[in-house]
Amino acid sequence: MMVGAAGRGIVDGLHLERMEVISPEISTNEAHLKTLSPIAVRIKEGGKHIYLSPEDERFKTLLEENLRDKFEAVFTTRYRGEIHIRIEKWMKRVINFKGIPVEAYDSALFIRASQKMIGLAMEAGLGARNSQGFGMVLAGGMFR
């Protein structure tokens, strides 16, 4: 993409007039979310990554810890509020990413946290491998 100082440019042969980032408006400390892309949660044991399922108690704990870490990275301060995540429904997906099988889960989930934290979850994603597109969530109805 070629973009000039005024934020205009050419993207794949299309003329770009304006680009805008719209942050989600969060008006409550609770939200029902659903995945746009599956959530991956992993631990490292014996030098090898092991993917966890929502049936494993560590799954929820690691999701919450990961979100706290993201908060600290973005806002350069520790998050001291409550985070409660409940997986309401899920479906396993194994995705081959550059020759590596990744176990991840499409899900519907409930989150209770500050509005700022819920917004961060929606903007940054949940779980691991967000830069590869995993863990994208949006507010809304139940999963399939």
Side-chain angles (χ1 to χ4, degrees):
M1 175 171 81
M2 299 169 43
V3 177
R8 297 171 189 245
I10 304 294
V11 178
D12 293 330
L14 300 173
H15 182 71
L16 177 66
E17 284 291 324
R18 185 175 87 140
M19 185 172 17
E20 181 178 357
V21 175
I22 301 172
S23 295
E25 289 188 28
I26 310 299
S27 60
T28 181
N29 289 351
E30 297 180 346
H32 287 274
L33 304 176
K34 64 180 177 179
T35 54
L36 287 172
S37 61
I39 297 170
V41 174
R42 64 186 182 182
I43 58 172
K44 198 166 192 174
E45 286 184 356
K48 192 174 181 184
H49 282 114
I50 297 170
Y51 289 92
L52 303 179
S53 88
E55 293 175 327
D56 189 314
E57 271 301 310
R58 297 173 293 178
F59 187 92
K60 180 183 90 71
T61 302
L62 291 171
L63 271 183
E64 292 168 357
E65 286 176 11
N66 178 266
L67 202 46
R68 285 181 189 278
D69 291 344
K70 288 174 183 164
F71 187 94
E72 189 170 343
V74 170
F75 300 109
T76 63
T77 187
R78 266 186 80 204
Y79 179 76
R80 299 190 190 283
E82 170 192 32
I83 301 176
H84 171 73
I85 296 174
R86 181 178 70 238
I87 306 296
E88 297 178 333
K89 192 173 183 180
W90 54 271
M91 181 175 70
K92 181 177 179 177
R93 293 187 50 202
V94 178
I95 297 166
N96 189 359
F97 182 79
K98 294 186 177 181
I100 300 168
V102 176
E103 290 181 25
Y105 295 84
D106 279 323
S107 65
L109 55 109
F110 170 83
I111 183 170
R112 182 182 318 118
S114 71
Q115 293 170 9
K116 195 172 191 178
M117 182 62 87
I118 294 171
L120 178 65
M122 293 175 69
E123 290 185 16
L126 292 173
R129 304 189 74 122
N130 302 131
S131 63
Q132 287 96 33
F134 288 87
M136 294 173 54
V137 294
L138 63 90
M142 292 302 289
F143 163 73
R144 293 189 251 272

